[in-house]
Amino acid sequence: MADELKGHLEDDLEAGSGRGRGDYSRDDEQGSGPFDVFRTKSAPADRLRRWRQAALVLNASRRFRYTLDLKKEEEKKQLIAKIRMHAQVIRAAVLFQAAGLGKKVQVTSKVPSSPTRIGDFGISAEEMVAISRNHDLSLLQHIGGVKGAVEKLKSNPEKGLSNDETDLVSRKKAFGSNTYPRKKGRSFWRFVWEACRDTTLIILMVAAAASLALGIKTEGITEGWYDGGSIALAVLIVIIFTAVSDYKQSLQFQNLNEEKQNIQMEVIRGGQRIKVSIFEMVVGDVVPLKIGDQVPADGLVITGHSLAIDESSMTGESKIAHKDPIRAPFLMSGCKVADGYGTMLVTSVGINTEWGLLMASISEDNGEETPLQVRLNGVATFIGIVGLSVAIVVLLVLLIRYFKGQTKDPDGHAEFTAGKTSVGDAINGFVKMFTVAVTIVVVAVPEGLPLAVTLTLAYSMRKMMADKALVRRLSACETMGSATTICSDKTGTLTLNQMTVVEAHACGKKIDAPDNKSLFPPRVISFLVEGIAQNTTGSVFVPEGGGALEVSGSPTEKAILQWGVNLGMDFSAARSDSVIIRTCPFNSEKKRGGVALKLSDSEVHVHWKGAAEILLESCSSYIDANDCEIQMDEDKMSHFKKAIDNMAARSLRCVAITYRLFEVEKVPTSDEELENWQLPEGDLILLAIVGIKDPCRPKVRDAVQLCSNAGVKVRMVTGDNLQTAIAIALECGILGSNKDVSEPNIIEGKDFRNLTETQRLEMADKISVMGRSSPNDKLLLVQALRKRGHVVAVTGDGTNDAPALHEADIGLAMGIQGTEVAKESSDIIILDDNFASVVKVVRWGRSVYANIQKFIQFQLTVNVAALTINVVAAISSGNVPLNAVQLLWVNLIMDTLGALALATEAPTDHLMHMKPVGRREPLITNIMWRNLLIQALYQVTVLLVLNFRGRSILNLDHETKDRAFKLKNTLIFNAFVLCQIFNEFNARKPDEMNVWKGLTKNHLFMGIIALEVVLQVIIIFFLQKFASTVRLSLELWLVSIGIGFVSWPLAILGKLIPVPDKHFLEYFKKKSDQQRTPSGG
């Protein structure tokens, strides 16, 4: 078992995983461009570096804030290597010490010279750290071994600590808490500083300073400060808005990171197993350990049965270390249990452990980019290059026209006349034109576009927590929207995980009332009680003051333990009647778990428990109603097989309980031989076969149907009997009817495993139910489905599920039943183990993608319209209707406020009636192109007509030229902003007629729209000099609103225009391919 896990348990961050990298090329082969990174999970560093170098970036510190910091990642690896080296040195010393254990160990005087003891404990924190951190066996023996450590820490090996708050507080005071110092999050002022580092904003500030100086010099301080001061103030407002938005976003991520690190673990307090946060564990706590658990602190093994620890997270080596209380009692925090089970005593916590030092050093979150983020950087780069080119053209045209004397003021006089215009005025004119060109770049380069992904992800992740899903990897949140298939476990995910024994077959017949002790012969009861009590990782707690018994363990263990209690089992007495000499923990490959017991009369009993039809094959006899052992003939074998099939057909989980006697003389005597002893698996005596009922979760059928409607195929992959799996699949709707109960829809794991790779690829698509599957079968299925082009989501809870969870595009670990190994290999943790929550994750994943598309459509419309209006106006008249301050306000609406409004839309049912979004499909769909071009064309046409014919259309002939010019430009600015506000509604539903549906539920959207309207009114009415505007009459306000309002009916009419399914860019690709083919051939 432990050997199988060597490669599987290295996938956590610190262990440094190589898994998945070999498959990366398969995901990336179709993407030759720097931004074609379709899977960031396990992506090579050079691939990530490539897109960063290709991106056009104005503010690197802001743009790359939520991407993987490649430099820090390298530093982190070096730091981990140093700490691992220390751990390896300790390990080498321990091995050297262990080699010399043949001789009596001489106690050395390594005890700290003057230990500071706090409280009435028999040992100080320094002494405890010296023992555990250096793995010093001689010091441990000096204090009386593990037993002595338990006594000095005033704990109890069976009952643990009392759950007394005063005692727990005193332990934290004496030995420290199980936390480590975390680096403080960035302050608000750090975000302000980063927002200031935008290249274009810096240039604008310099230009504003120059304009301010020239204005004051030429016009005096009273009038001269307006031009430069208004630009500086506009830039300052943009910086503050940006910083506030980014700061709030970072706080959300900070909270989510703390939630991810808050592992819940079992401890024994007052004899009872209770779950506490890993941060609440204290020195002296007794912690039960089982396969897949993380060691929560440094400690000592109290009891261990085949206990094997994977120390790769600390040593970097995948070698499994076997632990026992005598020769190898030391456990290192952060390591994983690879095999067996046992209990440990916590001896050092927090910063006093090697793991605590490591986490304190690397606790700052290092970021992680998502495929959508990378693609949006590509889109932003393309738009930015176009915008930069446009800005240069505008600047050149404005300069040429200005210095040629073709630029006129509102009265029709040339603004520049050679030999007459002063140098100061000429420079001021140049600064104004340069400022407009730079502002065009600010608007054109959508710096906020890639950051909109993190905004919508931060919002979605917070909301998903309420929907019982904890996102560990950002990319998984969006990838889930592309999922085409979900490979789900059965137990606990599709079912309730509330198991009870409802049927039993023993003594060669069905027992009518399985809880009735009198229906079983005494010998069978004795063996059943012995096997149930000892062959388990669960426990039964008897409250001291009386009351109901508390049964703990996995759901299957709890069901069988409860059945044992119903049959009269006294758990503590049964466990004290025999001693465990060897265990074989439940193995998902063999589907069984066993234990060898030595009784007081020196008899040795071997008990097995596991999959009924598999264990039945190993049985050679059974005990009848007269308590006699009877040979298993063919009739009885077929009787039991039929009973298993009948129970399985009724969706019962079938578990066999068996035992056998073993010759004492054949039991190994040395510890080394005992460690390698394989428990005998043949000649077993059947005691009972029980049927355990685990009801389907309510509404799981609706959830499966919802997936089917959304184009996501649900497949059940379970270790249970195939007949049980079929019964549950029919109940859940995974199989439509009995007609579907045939190959290739249903298959056993071993049959799938035995197929060739080509056959597996052909078969994978058709499989709906896989029964009796091993974790390796699940991995093979995931690999086959991914090769078929599927985006695969996989649920898993066991340690052996780690490879499949890692290989899948989205690994979903179970929060309640999942082991820490499974959780660390996963991308999302389903906190309530419910399949309905998995479906909610799909909705949120689609919502992330849809929200980004809404934002892109909105932003591109503003880009196209603003750039076209200014370019055409600049070339034709030498003046631009939208000045620098106005463009900065438009940029604020478009970037920060637009992202907040559109990137935080909640998912709708409409999303679950669409096909999954292909990861290689263009971000800007034909529908989006249609919508944005219609709106941009309308805005450009109307506003350019106003620019060139506004005076006559608006009947402003009676006004002075200067007043008419300002009124016209103010109207253009007002109408343009209102067009964007009205179009923000259109962007909510790119492919639906009713854009107002669900509007009242989105309070943030309504609030932002209200804020934009209020600020626009303030700019027009009260900030005329700041924004170069004048007050508009009621008639002109109605004209502005009318122009904006037309975008609503226009959007509805536009949606009646059909668009082809084939993306229009593919037509250009075909043409270019056709042109290249002859020359290439």
Side-chain angles (χ1 to χ4, degrees):
M1 173 71 178
D3 293 336
E4 293 163 14
L5 295 172
K6 281 184 187 178
H8 301 345
L9 294 173
E10 299 168 47
D11 294 326
D12 55 88
L13 170 73
E14 289 75 26
S17 169
R19 287 188 58 78
R21 292 181 188 271
D23 299 326
Y24 183 81
S25 58
R26 185 171 70 229
D27 296 292
D28 210 40
E29 61 193 4
Q30 293 183 32
S32 54
F35 300 105
D36 295 334
V37 182
F38 300 117
R39 194 178 190 231
T40 53
K41 192 174 176 177
S42 305
D46 59 330
R47 193 77 180 82
L48 299 178
R49 197 172 284 112
R50 189 178 160 206
W51 79 258
R52 285 164 172 72
Q53 291 165 349
L56 174 68
V57 181
L58 299 177
N59 186 348
S61 62
R62 185 167 180 251
R63 177 79 73 88
F64 297 134
R65 183 182 297 136
Y66 296 111
T67 58
L68 183 68
D69 189 323
L70 298 172
K71 188 181 176 185
K72 274 189 184 174
E73 189 68 7
E74 194 56 44
E75 288 171 2
K76 186 194 287 185
K77 284 178 183 173
Q78 289 171 4
L79 180 66
I80 290 168
K82 282 181 189 174
I83 292 173
R84 280 181 177 161
M85 195 180 293
H86 182 235
Q88 284 170 333
V89 168
I90 291 170
R91 184 169 177 169
V94 169
L95 290 171
F96 180 74
Q97 200 174 31
L101 271 180
K103 300 173 185 177
K104 191 177 178 183
V105 177
Q106 296 295 313
V107 178
T108 53
S109 55
K110 295 179 190 173
V111 183
S113 53
S114 53
T116 310
R117 292 183 184 174
I118 301 170
D120 56 350
F121 301 104
I123 194 166
S124 69
E126 296 101 306
E127 289 170 294
M128 213 69 256
V129 169
I131 293 168
S132 58
R133 191 177 281 181
N134 299 318
H135 291 199
D136 199 322
L137 269 174
S138 59
L139 268 179
L140 182 62
Q141 288 182 6
H142 178 67
I143 64 165
V146 175
K147 191 178 176 183
V150 172
E151 287 171 2
K152 286 183 182 292
L153 291 172
K154 297 189 179 298
S155 187
N156 184 302
E158 281 90 34
K159 292 188 176 182
L161 302 175
S162 65
N163 209 1
D164 176 47
E165 192 61 36
T166 311
D167 180 46
L168 299 177
V169 169
S170 69
R171 287 174 184 276
K172 285 181 184 177
K173 194 176 176 182
F175 301 100
S177 64
N178 201 23
T179 54
Y180 46 86
R182 297 183 191 181
K183 292 178 183 173
K184 285 184 180 178
R186 299 176 188 183
S187 69
F188 172 71
W189 298 110
R190 173 81 181 269
F191 286 97
V192 171
W193 168 244
E194 286 187 357
C196 291
R197 293 171 69 184
D198 189 299
T199 311
T200 48
L201 293 184
I202 292 167
I203 294 169
L204 280 176
M205 289 299 270
V206 171
S211 179
L212 194 65
L214 287 165
I216 292 168
K217 187 181 178 184
T218 54
E219 298 176 43
I221 195 161
T222 314
E223 294 291 324
W225 73 273
Y226 283 119
D227 283 349
S230 58
I231 292 170
L233 189 59
V235 169
L236 191 64
I237 290 168
V238 169
I239 286 168
I240 290 167
F241 263 92
T242 303
V244 168
S245 172
D246 290 352
Y247 180 61
K248 286 190 75 177
Q249 212 170 307
S250 80
L251 290 179
Q252 287 184 1
F253 280 121
Q254 208 171 304
N255 293 337
L256 286 162
N257 280 332
E258 284 173 14
E259 196 66 43
K260 278 191 272 186
Q261 292 161 355
N262 188 13
I263 299 167
Q264 296 292 315
M265 286 201 73
E266 273 191 343
V267 296
I268 299 171
R269 287 185 183 167
Q272 186 181 5
R273 290 191 185 195
I274 58 168
K275 282 206 167 186
V276 300
S277 164
I278 194 169
F279 302 131
E280 290 303 314
M281 287 194 177
V282 294
V283 169
D285 259 326
V286 175
V287 183
L289 296 173
K290 59 184 184 300
I291 296 176
D293 280 348
Q294 177 175 312
V295 178
D298 282 3
L300 301 169
V301 177
I302 298 173
T303 61
H305 303 291
S306 307
L307 189 62
I309 305 293
D310 176 71
E311 295 181 342
S312 59
S313 58
M314 289 309 298
T315 63
E317 298 174 9
S318 59
K319 192 173 180 181
I320 302 296
H322 294 275
K323 300 290 180 179
D324 66 70
I326 307 299
R327 293 170 302 158
F330 298 103
L331 296 171
M332 283 192 286
S333 177
C335 298
K336 309 293 185 301
V337 180
D339 202 1
Y341 59 92
T343 53
M344 69 169 277
L345 173 74
V346 174
T347 56
S348 296
V349 292
I351 205 71
N352 290 329
T353 69
E354 214 70 59
W355 179 259
L357 287 172
L358 174 68
M359 294 311 289
S361 308
I362 62 167
S363 60
E364 191 177 2
D365 188 37
N366 210 10
E368 175 229 346
E369 54 254 71
T370 74
L372 200 50
Q373 213 174 354
V374 178
R375 291 177 74 187
L376 283 172
N377 270 287
V379 173
T381 298
F382 172 74
I383 298 169
I385 290 167
V386 171
L388 200 57
S389 309
V390 167
I392 292 167
V393 169
V394 168
L395 182 62
L396 289 173
V397 168
L398 288 175
L399 287 173
I400 291 165
R401 290 184 67 96
Y402 179 78
F403 287 111
K404 275 190 170 185
Q406 294 171 357
T407 303
K408 312 284 184 187
D409 63 17
D411 294 322
H413 302 126
E415 288 189 4
F416 177 84
T417 307
K420 291 183 180 179
T421 306
S422 68
V423 175
D425 287 344
I427 292 172
N428 203 18
F430 169 78
V431 168
K432 281 182 182 177
M433 288 179 279
F434 180 72
T435 304
V436 168
V438 173
T439 313
I440 285 173
V441 176
V442 174
V443 176
V445 180
E447 199 72 1
L449 194 53
L451 293 169
V453 181
T454 51
L455 179 66
T456 190
L457 285 173
Y459 168 78
S460 301
M461 285 164 70
R462 186 164 51 85
K463 292 289 186 182
M464 283 166 77
M465 275 295 288
D467 279 343
K468 304 297 181 188
L470 171 63
V471 179
R472 294 186 72 251
R473 286 179 65 91
L474 274 178
S475 58
C477 197
E478 68 185 47
T479 308
M480 201 67 187
S482 302
T484 56
T485 186
I486 300 171
C487 298
S488 174
D489 281 339
K490 175 185 75 67
T491 307
T493 309
L494 297 168
T495 62
L496 281 169
N497 227 358
Q498 293 171 2
M499 300 192 186
T500 45
V501 173
V502 295
E503 195 169 315
H505 290 258
C507 308
K509 61 181 182 180
K510 180 183 176 183
I511 306 296
D512 293 326
D515 291 348
N516 190 340
K517 181 180 178 181
S518 63
L519 298 177
F520 295 86
R523 193 157 158 250
V524 170
I525 286 286
S526 171
F527 288 140
L528 278 174
V529 165
E530 183 180 278
I532 291 169
Q534 292 285 32
N535 190 14
T536 183
T537 53
S539 69
V540 178
F541 172 69
V542 184
E544 286 179 13
L549 299 177
E550 291 179 26
V551 182
S552 61
S554 72
T556 309
E557 294 280 16
K558 281 163 76 175
I560 293 171
L561 283 169
Q562 186 60 56
W563 183 57
V565 170
N566 296 346
L567 292 177
M569 175 181 74
D570 182 332
F571 184 73
S572 299
R575 285 179 76 89
S576 61
D577 284 345
S578 55
V579 177
I580 298 173
I581 54 174
R582 174 72 175 146
T583 60
C584 178
F586 181 83
N587 185 322
S588 52
E589 295 286 341
K590 290 184 176 181
K591 309 288 182 198
R592 65 171 79 186
V595 64
L597 308 173
K598 193 168 188 179
L599 278 65
S600 53
D601 58 4
S602 294
E603 269 192 1
V604 173
H605 291 178
V606 176
H607 288 268
W608 286 101
K609 178 178 70 185
E613 75 274 22
I614 294 173
L615 269 181
L616 185 61
E617 295 293 334
S618 302
C619 290
S620 57
S621 55
Y622 67 98
I623 297 176
D624 69 3
N626 299 318
D627 248 356
C628 299
E629 190 178 319
I630 309 291
Q631 283 296 114
M632 184 83 72
D633 56 22
E634 282 186 23
D635 287 346
K636 275 298 172 203
M637 183 65 81
S638 62
H639 164 80
F640 284 122
K641 282 182 179 176
K642 192 176 177 183
I644 292 168
D645 289 341
N646 286 339
M647 286 192 284
R650 286 180 285 122
S651 72
L652 300 185
R653 169 175 275 194
C654 303
V655 176
I657 300 169
T658 65
Y659 106 106
R660 64 162 287 174
L661 279 168
F662 192 72
E663 299 85 347
V664 180
E665 56 274 11
K666 289 186 179 178
V667 176
T669 50
S670 71
D671 289 341
E672 197 174 331
E673 285 176 345
L674 201 59
E675 250 181 41
N676 299 314
W677 179 39
Q678 296 295 317
L679 295 185
E681 296 178 3
D683 289 330
L684 303 179
I685 301 166
L686 181 67
L687 296 175
I689 295 172
V690 294
I692 301 173
K693 180 68 177 171
D694 185 13
C696 267
R697 285 186 179 273
K699 297 187 180 176
V700 74
R701 192 179 184 90
D702 296 340
V704 171
Q705 186 59 50
L706 200 60
C707 282
S708 183
N709 295 342
V712 182
K713 183 174 174 65
V714 180
R715 305 166 202 270
M716 182 197 290
V717 185
T718 177
D720 249 349
N721 184 308
L722 187 58
Q723 295 305 315
T724 308
I726 290 166
I728 293 287
L730 285 166
E731 203 176 329
C732 293
I734 292 172
L735 293 174
S737 66
N738 285 317
K739 290 178 185 175
D740 297 330
V741 184
S742 60
E743 285 196 3
N745 286 341
I746 60 165
I747 193 169
E748 278 209 354
K750 63 180 180 184
D751 297 332
F752 183 72
R753 193 186 319 145
N754 293 333
L755 297 172
T756 64
E757 189 175 348
T758 310
Q759 288 171 327
R760 281 201 294 269
L761 282 175
E762 287 173 14
M763 179 76 79
D765 250 344
K766 300 165 188 171
I767 294 170
S768 293
V769 176
M770 185 186 285
R772 282 290 175 238
S773 71
S774 68
N776 193 50
D777 299 331
K778 188 186 274 191
L779 177 62
L780 290 171
L781 178 62
V782 170
Q783 287 170 339
L785 287 168
R786 288 193 62 226
K787 283 177 184 173
R788 295 279 297 178
H790 283 283
V791 178
V792 186
V794 167
T795 70
D797 52 15
T799 301
N800 281 356
D801 286 330
L805 289 168
H806 190 85
E807 176 69 22
D809 295 286
I810 315 104
L812 303 158
M814 298 298 110
I816 299 170
Q817 290 304 316
T819 63
E820 281 310 310
V821 171
K823 288 175 188 175
E824 285 204 4
S825 296
S826 71
D827 305 303
I828 297 173
I829 299 172
I830 305 299
L831 299 173
D832 62 353
D833 291 14
N834 192 344
F835 184 77
S837 299
V838 176
V839 180
K840 285 176 185 173
V841 174
V842 176
R843 275 165 61 99
W844 278 109
R846 292 187 175 198
S847 176
V848 167
Y849 201 88
N851 286 351
I852 293 303
Q853 287 187 314
K854 292 169 191 177
F855 181 55
I856 291 172
Q857 179 183 305
F858 173 68
Q859 195 168 52
L860 286 184
T861 307
V862 185
N863 271 5
V864 171
L867 293 180
T868 308
I869 290 163
N870 269 9
V871 168
V872 173
I875 291 169
S876 56
S877 67
N879 278 308
V880 287
L882 299 170
N883 65 29
V885 173
Q886 291 168 357
L887 282 173
L888 283 171
W889 168 230
V890 169
N891 184 63
L892 195 62
I893 292 176
M894 183 180 77
D895 252 18
T896 310
L897 296 176
L900 270 172
L902 293 168
T904 54
E905 282 275 339
T908 60
D909 291 336
H910 175 69
L911 292 170
M912 295 303 283
H913 293 286
M914 298 160 70
K915 289 181 181 176
V917 181
R919 290 192 294 187
R920 292 178 174 84
E921 283 179 22
L923 263 178
I924 308 168
T925 64
N926 286 352
I927 288 172
M928 290 166 67
W929 278 118
R930 176 196 66 195
N931 296 347
L932 77 88
L933 288 174
I934 287 170
Q935 292 293 333
L937 192 63
Y938 163 69
Q939 291 175 22
V940 167
T941 305
V942 171
L943 298 180
L944 283 178
V945 167
L946 283 174
N947 188 54
F948 297 115
R949 295 283 177 266
R951 192 169 178 182
S952 57
I953 292 169
L954 299 170
N955 197 22
L956 299 175
D957 294 328
H958 61 283
E959 301 280 0
T960 63
K961 285 185 178 179
D962 185 54
R963 170 82 179 160
F965 180 77
K966 285 182 176 175
L967 272 170
K968 179 199 72 174
N969 277 4
T970 302
L971 179 71
I972 289 171
F973 167 58
N974 201 35
F976 183 69
V977 168
L978 289 173
C979 276
Q980 310 323 318
I981 291 172
F982 277 96
N983 194 38
E984 227 163 328
F985 288 86
N986 293 330
R988 286 185 70 240
K989 309 279 181 185
D991 54 350
E992 291 182 63
M993 291 292 184
N994 185 2
V995 297
W996 305 280
K997 187 179 177 183
L999 185 64
T1000 52
K1001 292 178 183 175
N1002 192 342
H1003 302 300
L1004 185 61
F1005 182 90
M1006 299 287 284
I1008 286 169
I1009 293 291
L1011 178 68
E1012 288 171 353
V1013 171
V1014 168
L1015 288 175
Q1016 182 64 16
V1017 170
I1018 290 169
I1019 286 170
I1020 300 297
F1021 274 98
F1022 305 108
L1023 302 175
Q1024 290 106 340
K1025 292 209 170 183
F1026 166 72
S1028 304
T1029 58
V1030 290
R1031 284 197 179 194
L1032 296 177
S1033 63
L1034 179 62
E1035 289 83 0
L1036 291 181
W1037 264 103
L1038 291 173
V1039 169
S1040 304
I1041 292 167
I1043 291 169
F1045 179 81
V1046 170
S1047 68
W1048 281 355
L1050 191 66
I1052 293 168
L1053 289 171
K1055 285 166 189 174
L1056 297 173
I1057 301 169
V1059 293
D1061 291 332
K1062 193 174 184 181
H1063 197 268
F1064 84 95
L1065 288 176
E1066 289 184 28
Y1067 295 105
F1068 294 107
K1069 275 185 189 174
K1070 268 194 170 181
K1071 283 182 183 177
S1072 61
D1073 289 345
Q1074 286 168 1
Q1075 288 167 1
R1076 280 201 304 265
T1077 304
S1079 60

